[in-house]
PDB file of all heavy atoms in Angstrom:
ATOM      1  N   ASP A 337     -11.092 242.315-192.812  1.00 91.00           N
ATOM      2  CA  ASP A 337     -11.237 243.757-192.924  1.00 91.00           C
ATOM      3  C   ASP A 337      -9.854 244.395-192.918  1.00 91.00           C
ATOM      4  O   ASP A 337      -9.119 244.320-191.945  1.00 91.00           O
ATOM      5  CB  ASP A 337     -12.044 244.298-191.735  1.00 91.00           C
ATOM      6  CG  ASP A 337     -12.394 245.769-191.882  1.00 91.00           C
ATOM      7  OD1 ASP A 337     -11.710 246.466-192.632  1.00 91.00           O
ATOM      8  OD2 ASP A 337     -13.356 246.209-191.239  1.00 91.00           O
ATOM      9  N   PRO A 338      -9.427 244.977-194.056  1.00 91.00           N
ATOM     10  CA  PRO A 338      -8.081 245.614-194.132  1.00 91.00           C
ATOM     11  C   PRO A 338      -7.831 246.652-193.032  1.00 91.00           C
ATOM     12  O   PRO A 338      -6.691 246.816-192.597  1.00 91.00           O
ATOM     13  CB  PRO A 338      -8.080 246.272-195.518  1.00 91.00           C
ATOM     14  CG  PRO A 338      -9.124 245.522-196.308  1.00 91.00           C
ATOM     15  CD  PRO A 338     -10.175 245.112-195.301  1.00 91.00           C
ATOM     16  N   ALA A 339      -8.920 247.309-192.581  1.00 94.00           N
ATOM     17  CA  ALA A 339      -8.759 248.308-191.509  1.00 94.00           C
ATOM     18  C   ALA A 339      -8.254 247.664-190.226  1.00 94.00           C
ATOM     19  O   ALA A 339      -7.488 248.284-189.463  1.00 94.00           O
ATOM     20  CB  ALA A 339     -10.093 249.023-191.263  1.00 94.00           C
ATOM     21  N   HIS A 340      -8.681 246.433-189.992  1.00 94.00           N
ATOM     22  CA  HIS A 340      -8.216 245.740-188.777  1.00 94.00           C
ATOM     23  C   HIS A 340      -6.709 245.430-188.886  1.00 94.00           C
ATOM     24  O   HIS A 340      -5.965 245.514-187.898  1.00 94.00           O
ATOM     25  CB  HIS A 340      -9.004 244.448-188.569  1.00 94.00           C
ATOM     26  CG  HIS A 340     -10.462 244.698-188.297  1.00 94.00           C
ATOM     27  ND1 HIS A 340     -11.406 243.692-188.414  1.00 94.00           N
ATOM     28  CD2 HIS A 340     -11.114 245.816-187.963  1.00 94.00           C
ATOM     29  CE1 HIS A 340     -12.604 244.217-188.127  1.00 94.00           C
ATOM     30  NE2 HIS A 340     -12.447 245.493-187.852  1.00 94.00           N
ATOM     31  N   ALA A 341      -6.256 245.051-190.086  1.00 92.00           N
ATOM     32  CA  ALA A 341      -4.833 244.792-190.279  1.00 92.00           C
ATOM     33  C   ALA A 341      -4.026 246.049-190.086  1.00 92.00           C
ATOM     34  O   ALA A 341      -2.927 246.046-189.471  1.00 92.00           O
ATOM     35  CB  ALA A 341      -4.595 244.230-191.676  1.00 92.00           C
ATOM     36  N   GLU A 342      -4.527 247.195-190.568  1.00 93.00           N
ATOM     37  CA  GLU A 342      -3.831 248.470-190.371  1.00 93.00           C
ATOM     38  C   GLU A 342      -3.714 248.844-188.906  1.00 93.00           C
ATOM     39  O   GLU A 342      -2.698 249.344-188.474  1.00 93.00           O
ATOM     40  CB  GLU A 342      -4.564 249.553-191.160  1.00 93.00           C
ATOM     41  CG  GLU A 342      -4.449 249.423-192.669  1.00 93.00           C
ATOM     42  CD  GLU A 342      -5.183 250.532-193.415  1.00 93.00           C
ATOM     43  OE1 GLU A 342      -5.569 251.514-192.752  1.00 93.00           O
ATOM     44  OE2 GLU A 342      -5.338 250.418-194.629  1.00 93.00           O
ATOM     45  N   ALA A 343      -4.801 248.573-188.149  1.00 94.00           N
ATOM     46  CA  ALA A 343      -4.775 248.880-186.703  1.00 94.00           C
ATOM     47  C   ALA A 343      -3.707 248.039-185.985  1.00 94.00           C
ATOM     48  O   ALA A 343      -2.988 248.531-185.111  1.00 94.00           O
ATOM     49  CB  ALA A 343      -6.159 248.614-186.110  1.00 94.00           C
ATOM     50  N   ILE A 344      -3.616 246.765-186.358  1.00 94.00           N
ATOM     51  CA  ILE A 344      -2.605 245.907-185.751  1.00 94.00           C
ATOM     52  C   ILE A 344      -1.219 246.352-186.116  1.00 94.00           C
ATOM     53  O   ILE A 344      -0.282 246.375-185.268  1.00 94.00           O
ATOM     54  CB  ILE A 344      -2.839 244.416-186.163  1.00 94.00           C
ATOM     55  CG1 ILE A 344      -4.134 243.898-185.528  1.00 94.00           C
ATOM     56  CG2 ILE A 344      -1.657 243.556-185.792  1.00 94.00           C
ATOM     57  CD1 ILE A 344      -4.505 242.488-185.977  1.00 94.00           C
ATOM     58  N   ALA A 345      -1.049 246.718-187.402  1.00 91.00           N
ATOM     59  CA  ALA A 345       0.277 247.187-187.850  1.00 91.00           C
ATOM     60  C   ALA A 345       0.706 248.425-187.082  1.00 91.00           C
ATOM     61  O   ALA A 345       1.868 248.537-186.664  1.00 91.00           O
ATOM     62  CB  ALA A 345       0.234 247.485-189.348  1.00 91.00           C
ATOM     63  N   THR A 346      -0.193 249.345-186.835  1.00 90.00           N
ATOM     64  CA  THR A 346       0.108 250.558-186.123  1.00 90.00           C
ATOM     65  C   THR A 346       0.529 250.267-184.690  1.00 90.00           C
ATOM     66  O   THR A 346       1.480 250.871-184.165  1.00 90.00           O
ATOM     67  CB  THR A 346      -1.094 251.484-186.104  1.00 90.00           C
ATOM     68  OG1 THR A 346      -1.466 251.832-187.449  1.00 90.00           O
ATOM     69  CG2 THR A 346      -0.815 252.770-185.339  1.00 90.00           C
ATOM     70  N   ARG A 347      -0.129 249.318-184.058  1.00 90.00           N
ATOM     71  CA  ARG A 347       0.163 248.998-182.648  1.00 90.00           C
ATOM     72  C   ARG A 347       1.450 248.198-182.462  1.00 90.00           C
ATOM     73  O   ARG A 347       2.144 248.334-181.451  1.00 90.00           O
ATOM     74  CB  ARG A 347      -1.004 248.226-182.027  1.00 90.00           C
ATOM     75  CG  ARG A 347      -0.794 247.823-180.564  1.00 90.00           C
ATOM     76  CD  ARG A 347      -0.754 249.074-179.695  1.00 90.00           C
ATOM     77  NE  ARG A 347      -0.453 248.767-178.305  1.00 90.00           N
ATOM     78  CZ  ARG A 347       0.767 248.799-177.766  1.00 90.00           C
ATOM     79  NH1 ARG A 347       1.840 249.041-178.559  1.00 90.00           N
ATOM     80  NH2 ARG A 347       0.979 248.552-176.495  1.00 90.00           N
ATOM     81  N   THR A 348       1.772 247.357-183.420  1.00 90.00           N
ATOM     82  CA  THR A 348       2.842 246.371-183.222  1.00 90.00           C
ATOM     83  C   THR A 348       4.128 246.645-183.965  1.00 90.00           C
ATOM     84  O   THR A 348       5.155 246.074-183.636  1.00 90.00           O
ATOM     85  CB  THR A 348       2.341 244.984-183.672  1.00 90.00           C
ATOM     86  OG1 THR A 348       2.032 245.044-185.084  1.00 90.00           O
ATOM     87  CG2 THR A 348       1.130 244.526-182.899  1.00 90.00           C
ATOM     88  N   GLY A 349       4.084 247.480-184.988  1.00 85.00           N
ATOM     89  CA  GLY A 349       5.284 247.642-185.828  1.00 85.00           C
ATOM     90  C   GLY A 349       5.356 246.617-186.937  1.00 85.00           C
ATOM     91  O   GLY A 349       6.292 246.643-187.720  1.00 85.00           O
ATOM     92  N   LEU A 350       4.372 245.715-186.995  1.00 87.00           N
ATOM     93  CA  LEU A 350       4.324 244.756-188.092  1.00 87.00           C
ATOM     94  C   LEU A 350       3.981 245.476-189.391  1.00 87.00           C
ATOM     95  O   LEU A 350       3.317 246.532-189.375  1.00 87.00           O
ATOM     96  CB  LEU A 350       3.254 243.670-187.819  1.00 87.00           C
ATOM     97  CG  LEU A 350       3.519 242.715-186.660  1.00 87.00           C
ATOM     98  CD1 LEU A 350       2.269 241.897-186.361  1.00 87.00           C
ATOM     99  CD2 LEU A 350       4.683 241.814-186.946  1.00 87.00           C
ATOM    100  N   LYS A 352       1.854 245.735-192.956  1.00 85.00           N
ATOM    101  CA  LYS A 352       0.424 245.404-193.223  1.00 85.00           C
ATOM    102  C   LYS A 352       0.266 243.970-193.655  1.00 85.00           C
ATOM    103  O   LYS A 352      -0.721 243.315-193.318  1.00 85.00           O
ATOM    104  CB  LYS A 352      -0.142 246.392-194.258  1.00 85.00           C
ATOM    105  CG  LYS A 352      -0.308 247.817-193.760  1.00 85.00           C
ATOM    106  CD  LYS A 352      -0.912 248.700-194.860  1.00 85.00           C
ATOM    107  CE  LYS A 352      -1.056 250.129-194.321  1.00 85.00           C
ATOM    108  NZ  LYS A 352      -1.598 251.030-195.357  1.00 85.00           N
ATOM    109  N   ALA A 355       0.609 241.918-190.474  1.00 91.00           N
ATOM    110  CA  ALA A 355      -0.597 242.096-189.637  1.00 91.00           C
ATOM    111  C   ALA A 355      -1.793 241.352-190.236  1.00 91.00           C
ATOM    112  O   ALA A 355      -2.609 240.758-189.538  1.00 91.00           O
ATOM    113  CB  ALA A 355      -0.957 243.578-189.517  1.00 91.00           C
ATOM    114  N   LEU A 359      -3.965 238.245-188.486  1.00 91.00           N
ATOM    115  CA  LEU A 359      -5.418 238.175-188.411  1.00 91.00           C
ATOM    116  C   LEU A 359      -5.939 236.855-188.934  1.00 91.00           C
ATOM    117  O   LEU A 359      -7.006 236.370-188.554  1.00 91.00           O
ATOM    118  CB  LEU A 359      -6.054 239.306-189.224  1.00 91.00           C
ATOM    119  CG  LEU A 359      -6.312 240.639-188.492  1.00 91.00           C
ATOM    120  CD1 LEU A 359      -6.835 241.691-189.462  1.00 91.00           C
ATOM    121  CD2 LEU A 359      -7.306 240.447-187.332  1.00 91.00           C
ATOM    122  N   ALA A 419     -13.395 245.042-184.614  1.00 95.00           N
ATOM    123  CA  ALA A 419     -12.279 245.908-184.267  1.00 95.00           C
ATOM    124  C   ALA A 419     -11.754 245.590-182.858  1.00 95.00           C
ATOM    125  O   ALA A 419     -10.558 245.728-182.590  1.00 95.00           O
ATOM    126  CB  ALA A 419     -12.700 247.382-184.345  1.00 95.00           C
ATOM    127  N   ALA A 422      -9.296 242.751-183.146  1.00 95.00           N
ATOM    128  CA  ALA A 422      -8.073 243.238-183.733  1.00 95.00           C
ATOM    129  C   ALA A 422      -7.226 244.020-182.727  1.00 95.00           C
ATOM    130  O   ALA A 422      -6.010 243.848-182.650  1.00 95.00           O
ATOM    131  CB  ALA A 422      -8.369 244.127-184.949  1.00 95.00           C
ATOM    132  N   GLU A 423      -7.908 244.817-181.898  1.00 96.00           N
ATOM    133  CA  GLU A 423      -7.187 245.574-180.870  1.00 96.00           C
ATOM    134  C   GLU A 423      -6.556 244.629-179.841  1.00 96.00           C
ATOM    135  O   GLU A 423      -5.402 244.790-179.447  1.00 96.00           O
ATOM    136  CB  GLU A 423      -8.132 246.554-180.176  1.00 96.00           C
ATOM    137  CG  GLU A 423      -7.456 247.403-179.122  1.00 96.00           C
ATOM    138  CD  GLU A 423      -8.409 248.386-178.478  1.00 96.00           C
ATOM    139  OE1 GLU A 423      -9.571 248.486-178.905  1.00 96.00           O
ATOM    140  OE2 GLU A 423      -7.993 249.028-177.491  1.00 96.00           O
ATOM    141  N   LEU A 425      -5.744 241.504-180.285  1.00 96.00           N
ATOM    142  CA  LEU A 425      -4.678 240.739-180.943  1.00 96.00           C
ATOM    143  C   LEU A 425      -3.391 241.574-181.048  1.00 96.00           C
ATOM    144  O   LEU A 425      -2.276 241.061-180.787  1.00 96.00           O
ATOM    145  CB  LEU A 425      -5.129 240.288-182.336  1.00 96.00           C
ATOM    146  CG  LEU A 425      -4.319 239.201-183.019  1.00 96.00           C
ATOM    147  CD1 LEU A 425      -4.196 237.940-182.142  1.00 96.00           C
ATOM    148  CD2 LEU A 425      -4.975 238.827-184.351  1.00 96.00           C
ATOM    149  N   GLY A 426      -3.539 242.825-181.388  1.00 95.00           N
ATOM    150  CA  GLY A 426      -2.379 243.719-181.461  1.00 95.00           C
ATOM    151  C   GLY A 426      -1.727 243.907-180.084  1.00 95.00           C
ATOM    152  O   GLY A 426      -0.516 243.898-179.971  1.00 95.00           O
ATOM    153  N   GLU A 427      -2.548 244.096-179.074  1.00 95.00           N
ATOM    154  CA  GLU A 427      -2.031 244.285-177.715  1.00 95.00           C
ATOM    155  C   GLU A 427      -1.300 243.007-177.245  1.00 95.00           C
ATOM    156  O   GLU A 427      -0.264 243.052-176.591  1.00 95.00           O
ATOM    157  CB  GLU A 427      -3.179 244.603-176.742  1.00 95.00           C
ATOM    158  CG  GLU A 427      -3.793 245.984-176.952  1.00 95.00           C
ATOM    159  CD  GLU A 427      -2.844 247.106-176.592  1.00 95.00           C
ATOM    160  OE1 GLU A 427      -1.871 246.839-175.848  1.00 95.00           O
ATOM    161  OE2 GLU A 427      -3.034 248.228-177.072  1.00 95.00           O
TER     162      GLU A 427
END
Side-chain angles (χ1 to χ4, degrees):
D337 188 337
H340 296 164
E342 291 180 11
I344 290 176
T346 300
R347 179 66 185 94
T348 61
L350 293 170
K352 290 182 181 178
L359 271 176
E423 182 179 353
L425 195 55
E427 291 292 340

